[in-house]
Amino acid sequence: YSNCQIKSFSLSNDSIAGLKNVKFTIDQVNGLIYNKDSMVYGTVIDEKVVCTISYEVGALNIEVYQDATKDSAYWNGSDSVDFSRFVRFDVYSIDGKAVKRYIAKLNVHQQVPDSMEWKLRTS
């Protein structure tokens, strides 16, 4: 029971359009959770979101560190999380011999996708 990997990950908030449809990639090797397809330009993540995680049988506790608030606490599985900046999940195994760290980030387009931005360059 040392397997403490996250198997699935999703976010939701009724006030943030499209959030429940975002598909996340879980990179087990590098400990990253992110959405490859960024959310629509102008999406604002200014409210806490409901985070749903499923993990392997060997996982016991998840400690959550929210970079936006600098808070760290053991997650009860239903607390809302602040995703305005990255969130770290430390998943501890039942036998206490393993911990798996994940950095989760919600990507949002930073530029209007149908426009071009020109900058003057000097040589």
Side-chain angles (χ1 to χ4, degrees):
Y1 288 101
S2 289
N3 188 354
C4 45
Q5 293 183 332
I6 291 177
K7 295 192 304 185
S8 68
F9 183 91
S10 64
L11 299 176
S12 63
N13 180 310
D14 292 340
S15 300
I16 302 172
L19 184 61
K20 66 182 175 185
N21 298 322
V22 173
K23 304 294 183 217
F24 287 90
T25 297
I26 302 172
D27 179 345
Q28 298 293 358
V29 174
N30 297 306
L32 301 172
I33 301 172
Y34 59 96
N35 52 318
K36 287 183 181 180
D37 187 17
S38 297
M39 293 192 70
V40 176
Y41 173 79
T43 301
V44 178
I45 310 299
D46 59 354
E47 298 183 33
K48 290 189 174 186
V49 299
V50 175
C51 184
T52 304
I53 296 175
S54 68
Y55 42 85
E56 295 293 338
V57 176
L60 175 64
N61 288 319
I62 298 178
E63 186 176 9
V64 178
Y65 171 79
Q66 300 173 77
D67 189 58
T69 61
K70 306 297 186 214
D71 289 335
S72 180
Y74 283 98
W75 188 55
N76 66 9
S78 63
D79 284 341
S80 295
V81 180
D82 186 339
F83 263 87
S84 60
R85 296 188 59 179
F86 79 86
V87 176
R88 187 182 80 216
F89 294 91
D90 293 342
V91 184
Y92 296 90
S93 65
I94 290 173
D95 64 9
K97 295 181 181 179
V99 61
K100 178 75 175 165
R101 176 170 285 174
Y102 294 90
I103 300 293
K105 183 178 179 194
L106 181 60
N107 294 316
V108 177
H109 280 294
Q110 299 300 307
Q111 185 174 339
V112 178
D114 293 338
S115 67
M116 295 175 61
E117 186 174 308
W118 295 90
K119 292 184 181 182
L120 179 63
R121 293 186 66 182
T122 58
S123 28

